[in-house]
Amino acid sequence: MSALLVELLCEELPPKALKRLGEAFADGVFKGLEKRGLVEEGASARMFATPRRLAVEVSAVKAASAARAAEVKLMPASVGLDASGKATPALVKKLEAAGLKDLDPSKLKRRVDGKAEMLFADAMTPAVPLAQALQAAIDESI
């Protein structure tokens, strides 16, 4: 856990809009990192803005997010399972695409979602390194 400084070099920004642009950039980067689980509790963001750069310093940032359990919504049960309860080719392709090809279709959860009974699978989302999550947070912020 350490502090992170992100600096964005740019063309001449209007001086009257600097504070607002700096706050928006800092808030976007902080919330993007927070959403991805890379900011420790109690961390804060401090913004910097000049006519040619926007920057944010985030205290207490992790090097990578933790792997966590997630539920993946697959497809309607009527499409994914045949009359005998076996997986259809569509479900097999969907499981492969979701990285769950080794999952036994009998372990899928069934739940009504809206008007149809849907199939859900439990999965683990892998840890995301800071560099990858930071790029996504900056893209969203801009």
Side-chain angles (χ1 to χ4, degrees):
M1 176 173 71
S2 58
L4 172 71
L5 177 66
V6 179
E7 185 175 25
L8 180 67
L9 303 177
C10 52
E11 292 294 321
E12 194 76 22
L13 295 171
K16 290 182 179 180
L18 278 179
K19 183 177 184 211
R20 188 176 40 133
L21 290 170
E23 288 171 350
F25 179 69
D27 188 52
V29 170
F30 185 79
K31 285 183 178 175
L33 292 174
E34 189 175 47
K35 176 173 76 173
R36 290 165 176 82
L38 289 162
V39 178
E40 291 286 336
E41 192 170 327
S44 62
R46 189 170 65 160
M47 77 92 177
F48 304 92
T50 69
R52 293 188 179 251
R53 69 188 55 180
L54 298 173
V56 58
E57 178 189 29
V58 182
S59 65
V61 176
K62 300 176 191 175
S65 68
R68 62 180 187 254
E71 189 174 64
V72 180
K73 183 177 178 180
L74 297 170
M75 62 179 51
S78 60
V79 175
L81 302 173
D82 61 15
S84 62
K86 299 207 188 255
T88 62
L91 179 59
V92 172
K93 281 187 175 183
K94 183 71 170 182
L95 288 171
E96 286 177 7
L100 302 168
K101 68 179 180 176
D102 297 330
L103 184 69
D104 181 13
S106 65
K107 298 201 189 272
L108 296 175
K109 296 178 188 175
R110 292 177 169 211
R111 190 170 63 233
V112 176
D113 187 39
K115 294 182 179 181
E117 183 180 33
M118 300 293 289
L119 295 173
F120 293 86
D122 289 326
M124 288 296 289
T125 58
V128 178
L130 177 60
Q132 182 181 349
L134 179 60
Q135 184 62 54
I138 291 172
D139 291 345
E140 288 173 4
S141 178
I142 292 175

